[in-house]
Amino acid sequence: MKSLAERVCLRLRIIGMNKAELAWQFEKEGMKCSRSMMSQYLNGKYPSDPAKLEQRLERWLEETEEIEADRRKENPKQVEKFIQQIEKQFAELASGEEPDSENGLEEAAPRLGQKPEVFESDDYINVVGICNLCQQQRGNAVVVGRSGYGKTYSLKQYARLPRVIYIECNESMSCRDLVRRIEKQLGLPKRYGTNDERLEEIIDFFNINQGYLMIVDEADKLINKYTIKKIELLRTIIDSASVGMVLAGELSLEAHLATYDERFANRMDFAYRLHGLTKEEIKRYLDGWTIEEAAIEVLIDRAKNSKNGCFRLFDRTMNNIIRIMQEKNKSVITEKVIGEASAMMML
């Protein structure tokens, strides 16, 4: 009887699935199972007790029986070729030989993966969750994080929803500029009255049209030791209007609020500080790509190193990697490819 590892390898080859996808499927179910763990087991090099993994693999074989049967009917010659390849590979393993690299136990064919349209990291989920909470409960929150951690991207994704307005601030903005930005986002006509008159109209709008969330990004640029008028303007909206508000910015925003406008800080119901991508999240992002183990570590460092590591740098690196691989018709991410991609960037 064929071993479990051999049956799993054959099933993967027949249904067109790779080890990373299988490992990720198990991880989503709450089982600790990385791509490297799966690869070690299927190559007969698993160092720990494989009982739990083997039980789940047996169930997976049962779950995918019908899919394999369909593939056998669709292309019996191709399936027969896969059977011969897998039998040869395991015969070589049993004899102590290294498997033929062309038909090794890795994926049948290297593939050029795809970037996820929206990567739901822990930071992304928490930022979106806080925005939703503030909108539903008319709450107020502060979201802070280092530049490049994905703060603005997450907020802009949420701002695509109905009854959400997004304001991006800058250091040159005056109170009048801020009021006009809010009016423009709400679709209010341009007014020429005083800031107080225009602010009253904005407050009336929110009280009549309830259920809005106001996201103020780069809010740290509105407050400094010389003036807090712009942040006080936002506090007036919080106190008088039926609207939720999320203030976001660099880590200094928390300190600025506590130092220069304690009354505003006391009105915050929630607070979240982005921590950046974890090692596990980076590996999940790379699921579906054919990538050397050493290259994975380089990309993890690109996203996590203490000097300039962040999601933005990691994402820009991936953009260049994809460009190079498409131009050179490559399908495996190697350290050399990452080096070429890095040479195109200012790190």
Side-chain angles (χ1 to χ4, degrees), residues 28 79 85 98 116 131 153 166 204 206 313 332:
K28 285 193 293 185
V79 171
Q85 289 175 349
E98 287 296 322
C131 288
Y153 178 82
Y166 174 86
D204 287 342
F206 283 133
L313 181 60
V332 179

Side-chain angles (χ1 to χ4, degrees), residues 26-264:
F26 290 178
E27 278 200 334
K28 285 193 293 185
E29 298 170 359
M31 179 180 182
K32 185 178 180 182
C33 182
S34 66
R35 178 186 182 280
S36 60
M37 288 171 59
M38 183 68 70
S39 182
Q40 287 172 353
Y41 177 79
L42 295 179
N43 283 283
K45 299 177 181 178
Y46 194 66
S48 306
D49 182 2
K52 289 184 178 180
L53 179 58
E54 288 178 338
Q55 289 175 4
R56 184 62 189 92
L57 286 171
E58 289 285 6
R59 292 205 314 274
W60 177 79
L61 287 171
E62 294 175 4
E63 293 165 2
T64 55
E65 278 182 358
E66 292 185 6
I67 301 176
E68 179 184 358
D70 291 339
R71 297 291 189 276
R72 285 177 178 271
K73 290 179 183 178
E74 292 170 3
N75 200 336
K77 291 185 179 179
Q78 184 68 54
V79 171
E80 185 60 34
K81 180 181 178 182
F82 289 153
I83 293 173
Q84 293 174 3
Q85 289 175 349
I86 296 298
E87 287 179 347
K88 178 183 178 184
Q89 291 156 13
F90 276 85
E92 290 172 348
L93 281 176
S95 65
E97 298 179 24
E98 287 296 322
D100 184 351
S101 59
E102 182 181 354
N103 297 313
L105 297 181
E106 291 300 320
E107 292 80 0
R111 301 181 303 166
L112 181 63
Q114 288 185 333
K115 288 176 56 179
E117 185 176 345
V118 176
F119 183 67
E120 297 185 353
S121 66
D122 184 58
D123 278 337
Y124 177 88
I125 292 170
N126 280 303
V127 170
V128 168
I130 282 180
C131 288
N132 182 258
L133 204 57
C134 289
Q135 185 173 12
Q136 297 300 322
Q137 300 183 8
R138 298 200 302 269
N140 308 303
V142 175
V143 173
V144 297
R146 283 176 52 189
S147 177
Y149 271 34
K151 173 180 73 275
T152 294
Y153 178 82
S154 303
L155 294 170
K156 284 185 175 179
Q157 285 294 316
Y158 190 83
R160 297 166 68 180
L161 297 177
R163 292 183 177 264
V164 181
I165 66 170
Y166 174 86
I167 310 292
E168 188 166 355
C169 305
N170 60 66
E171 293 172 344
S172 65
M173 287 178 71
S174 65
C175 286
R176 197 172 188 84
D177 294 329
L178 181 57
V179 169
R180 181 56 196 143
R181 291 279 182 93
I182 298 172
E183 289 174 335
K184 190 174 181 180
Q185 286 292 313
L186 293 175
L188 296 175
K190 190 172 183 179
R191 292 280 303 275
Y192 294 96
T194 65
N195 286 341
D196 183 64
E197 291 172 339
R198 295 164 69 183
L199 192 60
E200 186 176 355
E201 186 173 312
I202 290 170
I203 291 170
D204 287 342
F205 178 93
F206 283 133
N207 288 333
I208 294 170
N209 304 278
Q210 297 192 15
Y212 266 84
L213 175 69
M214 185 172 166
I215 298 174
V216 184
D217 199 7
E218 307 293 345
D220 52 296
K221 294 180 171 61
L222 297 179
I223 184 170
N224 56 53
K225 63 182 179 179
Y226 302 109
T227 178
I228 60 172
K229 288 183 178 180
K230 288 169 280 189
I231 210 76
E232 285 290 305
L233 187 151
L234 296 177
R235 183 168 66 84
T236 300
I237 295 176
I238 287 177
D239 289 346
S240 306
S242 180
V243 63
M245 187 178 296
V246 173
L247 266 66
E250 296 286 324
L251 298 176
S252 60
L253 177 61
E254 285 181 311
H256 284 167
L257 287 176
T259 302
Y260 302 121
D261 199 342
E262 187 176 348
R263 291 177 298 174
F264 196 104

